[in-house]
Amino acid sequence: MRSTALGALARLGALTAADVQAALRDDVAAVRSRAAEVTPVLDGSGDGDDVLLAPLLHDDDPMVVEVAAFASGERTPAEPGIVAALAEVATDHDDALCREAAVAALGALGDPGGLPAILAATSDKPAVRRRAVLALAPFDGHDVDVALRRALTDHDWQVRQAAEDLLDVPPDTGLSSGPDARSPLD
């Protein structure tokens, strides 16, 4: 009920920082998660400046961490200190979905301080690698080029496809990036 109420307040434009702050401290993980999800609605109102998601990146519930990471990448301006907190989740969290969400948020923020964590994520599990390649889009430089070129030969076709798209490189002749990597007639 409290989670639903937060969503309704956000849709009505009646959500306040006090509502979100109380929900971020709720005993129920679903309420904390929903509070993190709606936090970006407060941005630009001046009311949300005191609402901090960084503490939720250390929540015991991975669902809360994942949503807090995602929402952190949607905030404008970015929460102070959030890049370092997201980088820690991206490199050290036990849950791959949390690492993936943190990498996506770092890419969305485009802060150079997050680049080392994104580059490290290009060696993680396939879903995290895919997200890391996409998160490299706002960055440039030698390390980024090396990571994208390496992704062109990844075992996962979606990682290769993401790298091809960013580099604007056509797929290798005879090999497609799609799930049907080779035609049965080849």
Side-chain angles (χ1 to χ4, degrees):
M1 187 84 99
R2 293 186 305 278
S3 177
T4 302
L6 284 170
L9 287 170
R11 284 189 303 280
L12 292 170
L15 187 68
T16 67
D19 298 327
V20 174
Q21 287 174 328
L24 291 174
R25 294 185 303 270
D26 200 281
D27 291 338
V28 177
V31 176
R32 293 192 307 275
S33 178
R34 184 67 165 160
E37 182 181 356
V38 299
T39 295
V41 171
L42 297 173
D43 292 345
S45 70
D47 194 27
D49 296 344
D50 296 332
V51 177
L52 303 178
L53 294 177
L56 288 185
L57 296 176
H58 301 287
D59 199 277
D60 291 335
D61 191 304
M63 174 186 70
V64 174
V65 175
E66 178 188 0
V67 174
F70 173 80
S72 294
E74 298 295 310
R75 297 197 70 190
T76 306
E79 180 178 316
I82 200 67
V83 172
L86 287 166
E88 182 181 339
V89 173
T91 56
D92 296 338
H93 203 281
D94 292 336
D95 189 289
L97 287 173
C98 294
R99 294 192 308 274
E100 182 180 352
V103 166
L106 289 169
L109 294 172
D111 187 295
L115 182 57
I118 296 169
L119 290 170
T122 63
S123 298
D124 204 318
K125 292 184 174 190
V128 180
R129 291 195 312 267
R130 285 190 297 270
R131 187 64 68 176
V133 167
L134 294 171
L136 290 172
F139 300 98
D140 56 13
H142 177 71
D143 291 342
V144 173
D145 293 339
V146 168
L148 290 173
R149 296 271 176 219
R150 187 177 63 244
L152 288 172
T153 62
D154 197 275
H155 294 296
D156 186 275
W157 72 269
Q158 291 175 318
V159 174
R160 293 191 309 271
Q161 181 66 54
E164 290 169 3
D165 291 346
L166 286 177
L167 291 170
D168 200 25
V169 173
D172 290 338
T173 305
L175 292 176
S176 168
S177 294
D180 304 291
R182 294 184 187 269
S183 165
L185 301 175
D186 286 347

